[in-house]
Amino acid sequence: MKQKVIIIGAGLGGLFTGAILSKEGFEVTLLEKNAVIGGGLQSFQRFGEHFDTGMHVIGGLQLGGNIWKICRYLGILDGIKVRDVDEDCTDRLYFSEDKTYYTIGKGREGFIDTLAKQFPKERDNLERYVDAVLAIADQVDLFNLRPSNGQMGLFAESNDFLMSADAFIAKFTSDTRLRSVLAYMNPLYGGRANVTPAYIHAIISTLYIRGASRFVGGSVQFAYLLADVIRKNGGNVLANEGVEWIEVHDRKVDYVRTKSGKQLSADYYISDIHPCTLLKLMDEKAFPKSYRERLNMIPNTHSAFSLYIKLKPNTFPYINHSEYYMTKYADVWNFSRTDRPWPLGFLMMTPPNEDQGDYATKILVTAPMPFQMVKKWENTTVGHRGADYEAWKKERAQELLAQMEEIHPGFSEAIEAINTSSPLTIRDFYGVKEGSICGYVKDCQNIVLSQVPVVTKVQNLLLTGQNNNIHGFCGVPLTAINTCEAILGLNYVVNKINECVG
């Protein structure tokens, strides 16, 4: 008989974990509290347009990339619809402080050449920096889908690996402007000075240096592909079936109960929800007090405020790269701080449609935001937050639009309608503590606290998702491998993937 697995949460981590285990012969049941599966892959409809909630720019899906290999192993490559960003400009940055634009090119040489044009005296330093970034990423066996000792490379011999990312960058240049430019992706992983480890910066940077892509026609199609793998192998993916209780006895899960009253049992249980949310679903005696306190005390990365904008027809060009707006160079490391004016910057993109032409139909604008900014409404629920909250959201939207006007004069004239989301939206929709968009903070000053193993103190309960190891579209599938191998055996899945891709 097949061993049974119940996965709580059908986000990216739960879907990848379920797809791998179902392919390897397990009977998988995914339980999702929302009406639509996918977590950050979900899409929603407003004003006649479909908007993605997250996962807008993805790395690792280039030919031969690590996610490309995993998807080939799962047999879903042919169903993935993506569009690569421009090679000569994968990202464009703007710093309001001196009204200067910077262009980032694809690949090692493209990255170096584009920045060397604007920092001609820094070419040698840029070469040393990029090579050091790639070298750090190469130390992580799982990132490269190599058999490993299970340590995620965190005990690598390189002194650079666990130093702070800002100190790592400073090793290669004394130019303070270039240091900030090299840290421009901080909003993607909650980068903080003296806190974020260099390996997080290096892995994310390596992904985008190698090339980035966008989902065409919405990211939820990728969630459906993973769900199809599970169903084709005899499993179930159930939406609107949130788990309300997990019964634990003698450090072992006996069953889960859903909000509809279903009581389900399995050999293994895997949580794809925030660990602090998981704790609320079981008796406090299920875990040792020290373990619960540790999970609750780990800081979370910042949240975000977003604009989902429908554009008037044929008024704003489709832009095949992302754009970053930054206020001051020094504030690149301060997106998580509450003692700075908001917004310090934002990420903007025009998602491609299946029949994408010269003009965009919609724009997404996302600005990092500390949860503290919405704390006064933390005890409210969706649709019942009050008029002052709605007024506050409109004010924040106008502040972002004013910055958009700076890089795209006349932009407001192209707007047909705007929908907004705040950290409270993220918290309630995903069940994420403080609306964190990148999971737990990884702190180079206390790396042991930052690491949450996929194996828990309950013997048949495992974790998966962005709060373990590395977050993001690349990190979460790698953690899924880590979770599956806790059941199947070290390097089992990695070896299977490599056999499949030759």
Side-chain angles (χ1 to χ4, degrees), residues 13 15 67 78 126 136 210 246 289 329 342 390 483 486:
L15 286 164
I67 306 304
D78 290 343
L126 284 165
I136 289 178
R210 290 176 177 173
I246 303 172
K289 181 180 179 181
Y329 288 92
W342 188 92
E390 296 301 322
T483 301

Side-chain angles (χ1 to χ4, degrees), residues 236-487:
N236 295 292
V237 180
L238 307 177
N240 281 322
E241 281 289 0
V243 171
E244 68 172 11
W245 185 251
I246 303 172
E247 183 66 24
V248 180
H249 181 69
D250 289 337
R251 297 282 190 264
K252 187 175 181 180
V253 178
D254 289 338
Y255 63 84
V256 300
R257 185 176 66 246
T258 69
K259 290 184 178 180
S260 68
K262 289 186 175 70
Q263 186 170 302
L264 305 171
S265 298
D267 299 285
Y268 296 97
Y269 301 81
I270 298 172
S271 172
D272 183 35
I273 61 178
H274 193 288
C276 294
T277 304
L278 175 68
L279 293 179
K280 298 176 182 178
L281 300 180
M282 59 184 73
D283 190 281
E284 65 177 17
K285 295 179 181 178
F287 287 121
K289 181 180 179 181
S290 59
Y291 184 77
R292 287 187 284 108
E293 290 178 344
R294 178 173 179 268
L295 292 180
N296 279 310
M297 72 182 293
I298 304 174
N300 290 278
T301 50
H302 58 238
S303 189
F305 187 94
S306 297
L307 305 181
Y308 304 91
I309 303 172
K310 180 179 181 179
L311 298 167
K312 297 174 183 176
N314 302 326
T315 57
F316 192 85
Y318 171 75
I319 301 172
N320 198 41
H321 58 259
S322 299
E323 297 195 341
Y324 290 77
Y325 178 103
M326 311 287 190
T327 50
K328 297 181 179 179
Y329 288 92
D331 278 336
V332 166
W333 294 100
N334 295 326
F335 288 109
S336 299
R337 292 176 58 167
T338 58
D339 60 346
R340 291 293 193 275
W342 188 92
L344 293 178
F346 62 79
L347 168 64
M348 183 276 281
M349 61 192 66
T350 54
N353 297 316
E354 292 195 21
D355 55 350
Q356 185 59 58
D358 293 336
Y359 291 94
T361 62
K362 56 197 169 189
I363 282 183
L364 304 180
V365 180
T366 297
M369 175 179 278
F371 187 77
Q372 190 68 26
M373 290 188 66
V374 295
K375 194 169 180 60
K376 65 180 291 186
W377 299 287
E378 67 176 334
N379 295 320
T380 62
T381 57
V382 177
H384 304 282
R385 306 203 197 278
D388 58 337
Y389 174 73
E390 296 301 322
W392 175 86
K393 285 202 300 181
K394 288 182 179 179
E395 291 173 2
R396 302 293 79 76
Q398 290 305 312
E399 288 174 337
L400 284 177
L401 292 176
Q403 292 184 340
M404 276 289 293
E405 283 285 337
E406 189 174 346
I407 55 175
H408 292 288
F411 170 74
S412 296
E413 296 300 317
I415 298 173
E416 181 172 315
I418 299 177
N419 189 55
T420 61
S421 71
S422 80
L424 293 173
T425 314
I426 298 170
R427 181 199 66 177
D428 295 345
F429 195 69
Y430 299 131
V432 176
K433 186 177 180 180
E434 298 177 349
S436 170
I437 59 173
C438 303
Y440 281 141
V441 168
K442 303 299 187 291
D443 188 348
C444 64
Q445 306 296 334
N446 192 352
I447 199 65
V448 174
L449 177 67
S450 301
Q451 299 306 306
V452 179
V454 298
V455 177
T456 74
K457 301 296 183 180
V458 174
Q459 65 183 71
N460 62 342
L461 175 62
L462 304 171
L463 305 178
T464 195
Q466 70 173 359
N467 293 286
N468 310 95
N469 302 325
I470 307 169
H471 78 283
F473 187 82
C474 176
V476 169
L478 297 179
T479 298
I481 292 174
N482 205 220
T483 301
C484 293
E485 289 188 343
I487 298 173

Side-chain angles (χ1 to χ4, degrees), residues 35-171:
V36 180
I37 65 169
L41 293 170
Q42 292 182 53
S43 301
F44 66 93
Q45 188 168 1
R46 290 289 187 279
F47 325 123
E49 281 283 350
H50 285 89
F51 292 91
D52 290 344
T53 56
M55 303 297 180
H56 312 306
V57 183
I58 49 180
L61 263 177
Q62 303 285 321
L63 179 66
N66 48 17
I67 306 304
W68 182 92
K69 291 179 180 179
I70 298 171
C71 291
R72 180 168 178 177
Y73 152 77
L74 291 173
I76 62 174
L77 268 183
D78 290 343
I80 301 173
K81 298 177 182 179
V82 293
R83 175 172 180 161
D84 293 343
V85 300
D86 296 331
E87 293 200 5
D88 59 344
C89 180
T90 60
D91 291 311
R92 187 176 78 146
L93 329 178
Y94 174 80
F95 283 85
S96 180
E97 182 177 348
D98 60 2
K99 304 193 184 314
T100 300
Y101 290 91
Y102 300 94
T103 297
I104 307 294
K106 177 185 174 181
R108 178 187 181 276
E109 300 305 323
F111 187 95
I112 293 168
D113 288 345
T114 49
L115 287 180
K117 289 178 181 178
Q118 294 164 290
F119 297 93
K121 297 180 181 179
E122 297 288 332
R123 174 174 283 277
D124 290 345
N125 291 334
L126 284 165
E127 290 179 350
R128 291 171 50 244
Y129 162 78
V130 173
D131 289 341
V133 163
L134 299 177
I136 289 178
D138 187 59
Q139 293 179 54
V140 183
D141 289 330
L142 187 54
F143 179 74
N144 295 283
L145 296 178
R146 295 190 301 253
S148 72
N149 60 7
Q151 299 294 341
M152 286 294 291
L154 297 183
F155 303 100
E157 295 181 3
S158 167
N159 292 328
D160 291 343
F161 202 87
L162 289 177
M163 73 187 313
S164 69
D166 56 314
F168 169 75
I169 293 172
K171 283 179 54 177

